[in-house]
PDB file of all heavy atoms in Angstrom:
ATOM      1  N   MET A 242      -1.319  12.787  53.537  1.00  0.00           N
ATOM      2  CA  MET A 242      -0.952  11.592  54.285  1.00  0.00           C
ATOM      3  C   MET A 242       0.572  11.495  54.425  1.00  0.00           C
ATOM      4  O   MET A 242       1.091  11.188  55.492  1.00  0.00           O
ATOM      5  CB  MET A 242      -1.497  10.347  53.585  1.00  0.00           C
ATOM      6  CG  MET A 242      -1.387   9.095  54.433  1.00  0.00           C
ATOM      7  SD  MET A 242      -2.364   7.739  53.802  1.00  0.00           S
ATOM      8  CE  MET A 242      -1.133   6.786  52.966  1.00  0.00           C
ATOM      9  N   CYS A 307      18.260  -2.828  -1.968  1.00  0.00           N
ATOM     10  CA  CYS A 307      17.936  -2.369  -3.326  1.00  0.00           C
ATOM     11  C   CYS A 307      18.236  -0.896  -3.485  1.00  0.00           C
ATOM     12  O   CYS A 307      18.834  -0.468  -4.445  1.00  0.00           O
ATOM     13  CB  CYS A 307      16.447  -2.560  -3.614  1.00  0.00           C
ATOM     14  SG  CYS A 307      15.959  -4.234  -3.907  1.00  0.00           S
ATOM     15  N   GLY A 346       6.080   8.212  10.259  1.00  0.00           N
ATOM     16  CA  GLY A 346       5.612   6.820  10.228  1.00  0.00           C
ATOM     17  C   GLY A 346       5.103   6.379   8.864  1.00  0.00           C
ATOM     18  O   GLY A 346       4.462   5.343   8.754  1.00  0.00           O
ATOM     19  N   PRO A 350       8.687   2.634  -0.453  1.00  0.00           N
ATOM     20  CA  PRO A 350       8.748   1.209  -0.806  1.00  0.00           C
ATOM     21  C   PRO A 350       9.895   0.461  -0.111  1.00  0.00           C
ATOM     22  O   PRO A 350       9.772  -0.722   0.198  1.00  0.00           O
ATOM     23  CB  PRO A 350       8.958   1.228  -2.322  1.00  0.00           C
ATOM     24  CG  PRO A 350       8.387   2.524  -2.773  1.00  0.00           C
ATOM     25  CD  PRO A 350       8.618   3.481  -1.656  1.00  0.00           C
ATOM     26  N   LYS A 355      12.341  -3.933   2.927  1.00  0.00           N
ATOM     27  CA  LYS A 355      13.122  -4.380   4.092  1.00  0.00           C
ATOM     28  C   LYS A 355      12.313  -5.400   4.888  1.00  0.00           C
ATOM     29  O   LYS A 355      12.841  -6.430   5.316  1.00  0.00           O
ATOM     30  CB  LYS A 355      13.494  -3.180   4.977  1.00  0.00           C
ATOM     31  CG  LYS A 355      14.164  -3.594   6.284  1.00  0.00           C
ATOM     32  CD  LYS A 355      14.869  -2.455   7.013  1.00  0.00           C
ATOM     33  CE  LYS A 355      14.015  -1.250   7.285  1.00  0.00           C
ATOM     34  NZ  LYS A 355      14.731  -0.189   8.015  1.00  0.00           N
ATOM     35  N   ARG A 358      12.518  -8.705   3.274  1.00  0.00           N
ATOM     36  CA  ARG A 358      13.835  -9.316   3.463  1.00  0.00           C
ATOM     37  C   ARG A 358      13.897  -9.965   4.846  1.00  0.00           C
ATOM     38  O   ARG A 358      14.405 -11.074   5.008  1.00  0.00           O
ATOM     39  CB  ARG A 358      14.896  -8.222   3.329  1.00  0.00           C
ATOM     40  CG  ARG A 358      16.311  -8.696   3.388  1.00  0.00           C
ATOM     41  CD  ARG A 358      17.245  -7.568   3.049  1.00  0.00           C
ATOM     42  NE  ARG A 358      17.515  -6.665   4.151  1.00  0.00           N
ATOM     43  CZ  ARG A 358      18.373  -6.904   5.137  1.00  0.00           C
ATOM     44  NH1 ARG A 358      19.034  -8.051   5.167  1.00  0.00           N
ATOM     45  NH2 ARG A 358      18.583  -6.029   6.094  1.00  0.00           N
ATOM     46  N   ALA A 385       8.067   7.694  -4.218  1.00  0.00           N
ATOM     47  CA  ALA A 385       7.452   6.446  -3.765  1.00  0.00           C
ATOM     48  C   ALA A 385       6.764   5.747  -4.939  1.00  0.00           C
ATOM     49  O   ALA A 385       6.851   4.519  -5.081  1.00  0.00           O
ATOM     50  CB  ALA A 385       6.450   6.716  -2.648  1.00  0.00           C
ATOM     51  N   ALA A 421      -0.512  -0.307   6.318  1.00  0.00           N
ATOM     52  CA  ALA A 421      -0.574  -1.102   7.548  1.00  0.00           C
ATOM     53  C   ALA A 421      -0.719  -2.582   7.222  1.00  0.00           C
ATOM     54  O   ALA A 421      -0.040  -3.438   7.795  1.00  0.00           O
ATOM     55  CB  ALA A 421      -1.748  -0.639   8.408  1.00  0.00           C
ATOM     56  N   PHE A 451     -17.634  13.922   1.769  1.00  0.00           N
ATOM     57  CA  PHE A 451     -18.333  15.145   2.178  1.00  0.00           C
ATOM     58  C   PHE A 451     -17.646  16.396   1.623  1.00  0.00           C
ATOM     59  O   PHE A 451     -18.024  17.514   1.973  1.00  0.00           O
ATOM     60  CB  PHE A 451     -18.424  15.221   3.698  1.00  0.00           C
ATOM     61  CG  PHE A 451     -18.943  13.953   4.330  1.00  0.00           C
ATOM     62  CD1 PHE A 451     -18.188  13.263   5.277  1.00  0.00           C
ATOM     63  CD2 PHE A 451     -20.174  13.433   3.975  1.00  0.00           C
ATOM     64  CE1 PHE A 451     -18.670  12.085   5.857  1.00  0.00           C
ATOM     65  CE2 PHE A 451     -20.657  12.260   4.550  1.00  0.00           C
ATOM     66  CZ  PHE A 451     -19.896  11.583   5.489  1.00  0.00           C
ATOM     67  N   ALA A 461     -15.222   9.202  10.698  1.00  0.00           N
ATOM     68  CA  ALA A 461     -14.701   8.215  11.653  1.00  0.00           C
ATOM     69  C   ALA A 461     -15.831   7.332  12.162  1.00  0.00           C
ATOM     70  O   ALA A 461     -15.670   6.110  12.303  1.00  0.00           O
ATOM     71  CB  ALA A 461     -14.000   8.920  12.812  1.00  0.00           C
ATOM     72  N   ARG A 527      -9.186 -15.994   4.039  1.00  0.00           N
ATOM     73  CA  ARG A 527     -10.156 -16.455   3.020  1.00  0.00           C
ATOM     74  C   ARG A 527     -11.579 -16.121   3.449  1.00  0.00           C
ATOM     75  O   ARG A 527     -12.441 -15.815   2.642  1.00  0.00           O
ATOM     76  CB  ARG A 527     -10.007 -17.965   2.801  1.00  0.00           C
ATOM     77  CG  ARG A 527     -11.086 -18.599   1.913  1.00  0.00           C
ATOM     78  CD  ARG A 527     -10.973 -18.062   0.514  1.00  0.00           C
ATOM     79  NE  ARG A 527     -12.028 -18.517  -0.393  1.00  0.00           N
ATOM     80  CZ  ARG A 527     -13.212 -17.937  -0.533  1.00  0.00           C
ATOM     81  NH1 ARG A 527     -13.526 -16.892   0.219  1.00  0.00           N
ATOM     82  NH2 ARG A 527     -14.078 -18.368  -1.421  1.00  0.00           N
TER      83      ARG A 527
END
Side-chain angles (χ1 to χ4, degrees):
Chain A
M242 191 166 100
C307 286
K355 173 165 54 179
R358 185 172 81 79
F451 310 122
R527 172 65 185 86

